[in-house]
């Protein structure tokens, strides 16, 4: 068997995801297919590249060596393809490729960019992993990436990227069933949720580590379930779980969203770009300004977050001077 770029890409995905199941989901293939592919790669190289453990997959010493050579090859191929596509599409007009983790600010941001940049092909790539988006940005597959960094879990940022801080510290609120005992209070004590099951998506970079740190500091060890937040919403609505959420989250009749006392959970919101990537008739400053205005719009629309901003005398309450 001869190794191909797709095989190296699969190895990188397994290492980054930490499990065959998560890597298969990111690659858009079934877990059995990825397991078979990994076995063939290992047979071709003559040794195991990952040790299979109860908690996932970890690279062996040989695996780490192979990955150190595979990553630049995968990134280089991605950059080659992206640059070739850009060159081939120059005659079709300018474009702006946006990557983002989930945010209520996205709708307004895209609307503003389309108004500012008529005739520009604006695309959006969503991913729960900020690290994956930053790798795509560094490889030339994206022009900008809007991501969040969980407090206490700094992102590994590829060299050469420009950064703007949208919000230095955004508090993470808690979503719970509308009839949860703590939902009657405007601010929730962490101890009031000690007996609840917590839901967290382990594929979101830093999310589980950040939550575990905060719960541990409070002396709490509640039961935790791992899953995506679409599933979490269904469980939360019927009182089976509580979960961290963005303060800009929209209201639901069957769910309450409340801030935590002293805001122990928080993220930093960041916009990254490659130098010179934003050259589509609107500069880096304008792209950031549109995101800033859209985030402010989403923040003020969320009732509980607006109360929090008012109590903390946030500058977000006031539009910047034109």
């Amino acid at each position: 068997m001869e190794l191909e770029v797709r095989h190296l890409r699969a190895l990188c995905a397994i290492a980054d995801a930490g499990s065959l199941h998560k890597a298969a989901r990111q690659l858009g293939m079934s877990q059995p297919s990825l397991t078979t592919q990994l076995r063939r790669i290992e047979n071709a190289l003559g040794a195991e590249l990952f040790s299979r453990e109860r908690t996932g997959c970890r690279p062996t010493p040989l695996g780490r060596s192979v990955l150190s050579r595979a990553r630049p090859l995968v990134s280089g191929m991605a950059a080659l393809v992206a640059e070739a596509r850009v060159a081939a599409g120059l005659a079709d007009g300018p474009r702006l490729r946006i990557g983002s983790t989930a945010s209520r600010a996205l709708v307004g941001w895209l609307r503003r960019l389309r108004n500012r940049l008529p005739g520009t092909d604006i695309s959006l790539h969503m991913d729960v992993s900020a690290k994956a988006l930053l790798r795509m940005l560094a490889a030339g597959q994206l022009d900008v990436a809007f991501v969040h960094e969980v407090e206490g879990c700094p992102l590994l940022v590829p060299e050469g990227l420009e950064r703007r801080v949208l919000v230095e510290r955004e508090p993470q609120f808690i979503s719970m069933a509308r009839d949860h005992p703590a939902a009657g209070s405007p601010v929730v004590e962490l101890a009031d949720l000690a007996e609840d099951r917590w839901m967290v998506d382990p594929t979101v970079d830093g999310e589980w580590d950040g939550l575990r740190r905060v719960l541990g500091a409070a002396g709490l060890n509640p039961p935790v379930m791992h899953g995506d937040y679409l599933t979490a919403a269904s469980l939360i609505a019927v009182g089976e779980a509580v979960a961290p959420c963005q303060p800009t989250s929209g209201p639901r009749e069957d769910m309450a969203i409340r801030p935590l006392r002293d805001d122990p959970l928080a993220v930093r919101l960041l916009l990254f770009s490659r130098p010179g990537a934003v050259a589509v008739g609107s500069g880096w400053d304008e792209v950031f300004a549109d995101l800033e205005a859209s985030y402010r719009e989403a923040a003020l629309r969320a009732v509980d977050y607006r109360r929090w901003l008012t109590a903390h005398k946030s500058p977000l309450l006031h539009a910047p001077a034109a």
Side-chain angles (χ1 to χ4, degrees), residues 96 109 113 116-117 137 143-146 161-166 270-292:
L96 179 62
W109 190 28
L113 288 173
R116 183 188 293 278
L117 306 170
L137 179 61
D143 299 312
V144 296
F146 175 38
L161 299 184
E162 296 180 351
R163 187 194 74 180
R164 291 283 186 92
V165 179
L166 176 66
L270 305 164
L271 182 67
F272 287 91
S273 174
R274 286 178 296 105
V278 183
V280 290
S282 181
W284 180 222
D285 289 340
E286 287 77 10
V287 169
F288 181 79
D290 283 343
L291 175 58
E292 197 171 35

Side-chain angles (χ1 to χ4, degrees), residues 73-88:
L73 292 173
V74 171
S75 295
M77 181 58 72
L80 184 154
V81 172
E83 290 166 10
R85 286 175 175 169
V86 168

Side-chain angles (χ1 to χ4, degrees), residues 227-246:
D228 63 272
Y229 284 122
L230 184 61
T231 303
S234 300
L235 294 172
I236 292 167
V238 296
E240 286 295 317
V242 298
C245 68
Q246 297 177 12

Side-chain angles (χ1 to χ4, degrees), residues 88-173:
L90 286 178
D92 298 328
R95 67 177 179 174
L96 179 62
R97 298 165 300 170
I98 297 171
S100 181
T101 50
S103 173
R104 289 274 171 175
L106 278 177
V107 173
W109 190 28
L110 291 174
R111 184 182 68 246
R112 284 178 167 84
L113 288 173
R114 293 190 194 285
N115 289 337
R116 183 188 293 278
L117 306 170
T120 297
D121 178 14
I122 300 175
S123 62
L124 175 64
H125 178 89
M126 299 290 296
D127 200 306
V128 297
S129 172
K131 293 177 183 177
L133 291 171
L134 294 181
R135 285 195 297 269
M136 291 180 67
L137 179 61
Q141 297 169 281
L142 297 172
D143 299 312
V144 296
F146 175 38
V147 301
H148 70 270
E149 178 182 66
V150 176
E151 190 170 71
C153 304
L155 292 171
L156 181 62
V157 180
E159 291 184 7
L161 299 184
E162 296 180 351
R163 187 194 74 180
R164 291 283 186 92
V165 179
L166 176 66
V167 177
E168 184 63 42
R169 192 174 193 272
E170 180 195 69
Q172 297 301 279
F173 286 5

Side-chain angles (χ1 to χ4, degrees), residues 4-277:
E4 302 173 10
V5 174
R6 64 187 178 93
H7 298 135
L8 303 182
R9 189 179 297 113
L11 295 179
C12 293
I14 295 169
D16 293 339
S19 80
L20 288 165
H21 173 71
K22 295 174 191 173
R25 187 169 66 176
Q26 292 176 10
L27 293 168
M29 60 194 301
S30 68
Q31 182 175 334
S33 296
L34 182 57
T35 300
T36 299
Q37 187 176 94
L38 175 58
R39 189 177 300 116
R40 288 174 178 168
I41 295 171
E42 290 177 328
N43 288 339
L45 295 179
E48 285 192 346
L49 301 179
F50 293 90
S51 59
R52 281 69 157 177
E53 302 172 359
R54 185 178 60 82
T55 55
C57 292
R58 293 184 180 276
T60 62
L62 175 62
R64 288 194 293 272
S65 176
V66 171
L67 285 164
S68 70
R69 301 289 296 275
R71 290 191 189 281
L73 292 173
V74 171
S75 295
M77 181 58 72
L80 184 154
V81 172
E83 290 166 10
R85 286 175 175 169
V86 168
L90 286 178
D92 298 328
R95 67 177 179 174
L96 179 62
R97 298 165 300 170
I98 297 171
S100 181
T101 50
S103 173
R104 289 274 171 175
L106 278 177
V107 173
W109 190 28
L110 291 174
R111 184 182 68 246
R112 284 178 167 84
L113 288 173
R114 293 190 194 285
N115 289 337
R116 183 188 293 278
L117 306 170
T120 297
D121 178 14
I122 300 175
S123 62
L124 175 64
H125 178 89
M126 299 290 296
D127 200 306
V128 297
S129 172
K131 293 177 183 177
L133 291 171
L134 294 181
R135 285 195 297 269
M136 291 180 67
L137 179 61
Q141 297 169 281
L142 297 172
D143 299 312
V144 296
F146 175 38
V147 301
H148 70 270
E149 178 182 66
V150 176
E151 190 170 71
C153 304
L155 292 171
L156 181 62
V157 180
E159 291 184 7
L161 299 184
E162 296 180 351
R163 187 194 74 180
R164 291 283 186 92
V165 179
L166 176 66
V167 177
E168 184 63 42
R169 192 174 193 272
E170 180 195 69
Q172 297 301 279
F173 286 5
I174 296 296
S175 54
M176 65 193 79
R178 179 64 65 179
D179 59 357
H180 191 290
S185 303
V187 178
V188 175
E189 304 287 345
L190 196 58
D192 292 340
L193 308 174
E195 301 302 320
D196 288 283
R197 295 184 187 89
W198 286 69
M199 190 88 175
V200 65
D201 187 343
T203 63
V204 179
D205 297 319
E207 194 98 333
W208 171 223
D209 290 335
L211 178 60
R212 181 166 48 189
R213 176 179 59 82
V214 168
L215 292 174
L220 303 179
N221 187 28
V224 175
M225 297 184 290
H226 290 172
D228 63 272
Y229 284 122
L230 184 61
T231 303
S234 300
L235 294 172
I236 292 167
V238 296
E240 286 295 317
V242 298
C245 68
Q246 297 177 12
T248 51
S249 299
R252 286 179 45 154
E253 291 184 359
D254 55 358
M255 194 179 294
I257 295 172
R258 298 288 184 269
L260 282 169
R261 177 78 64 193
D262 299 327
D263 310 307
L265 290 168
V267 302
R268 185 164 60 153
L269 303 182
L270 305 164
L271 182 67
F272 287 91
S273 174
R274 286 178 296 105

